[in-house]
Amino acid sequence: MTDVPLTHISRPDGVVPSSGYTHLVTGPGQLAALAGQMPFAPDGSLVGEGDPEAQARQVFTNMRGVLAAADAGFDNVIKLTYYVTDAAHIPAILAVRDEFIDTKRPPASTVVQVAALYRPELLLEVDAFALVPPTSPAPTRETR
């Protein structure tokens, strides 16, 4: 994995300082958009029904795999968007997130409570933007 030098601005002038996220992250590289990741194991089975911590761990594990496909990691993530069905789950989800990201330089983030997700047993979905190192090879294109 190649690091992209990112600039994190948590205290922009005139804006309340952030806690647990960064207001602005910028840097060089190619923008990579990660589709919403859900708590499905590689075999397609749901992980952690009714358990926001277990579902979050699987979501972030899946994100790690998607990032690796672009020769990137969580240090390359500049923005996370969380879609949660119950705001009460946010502390558990963020505790798991903190196992994957650099909490001293967190990505920009948005949390949205939604009425429902793709399937009723899903408690969260997370998508992301990352800046992929400019020297990364182009991903292999899939054909179907």
Side-chain angles (χ1 to χ4, degrees):
M1 218 172 325
T2 305
D3 289 330
V4 171
L6 298 178
T7 300
H8 291 72
I9 301 173
S10 295
R11 297 174 177 268
D13 292 338
V15 179
V16 66
S18 61
S19 174
Y21 65 95
T22 300
H23 280 291
L24 174 69
V25 181
T26 186
Q30 294 180 314
L31 183 64
L34 282 70
Q37 296 300 301
M38 295 175 276
F40 295 113
D43 67 1
S45 63
L46 177 71
V47 172
E49 186 164 354
D51 182 346
E53 182 178 337
Q55 287 198 14
R57 186 160 284 105
Q58 186 63 49
V59 164
F60 281 95
T61 298
N62 292 348
M63 291 181 84
R64 182 184 314 159
V66 174
L67 288 163
D71 194 27
F74 280 99
D75 288 345
N76 300 99
V77 172
I78 60 171
K79 175 74 164 71
L80 291 167
T81 303
Y82 305 82
Y83 304 93
V84 299
T85 59
D86 187 340
H89 298 316
I90 293 169
I93 294 165
L94 294 181
V96 171
R97 174 210 63 176
D98 289 353
E99 298 172 16
F100 289 82
I101 68 160
D102 177 355
T103 59
K104 293 179 182 155
R105 296 171 51 87
S109 297
T110 300
V111 177
V112 181
Q113 182 171 326
V114 296
L117 290 165
Y118 168 67
R119 289 183 13 194
E121 63 272 24
L122 297 175
L123 303 177
L124 76 149
E125 182 172 343
V126 182
D127 65 27
F129 288 106
L131 285 176
V132 177
T135 58
S136 291
T140 305
R141 293 181 187 249
E142 292 183 23
T143 57
R144 297 193 187 262

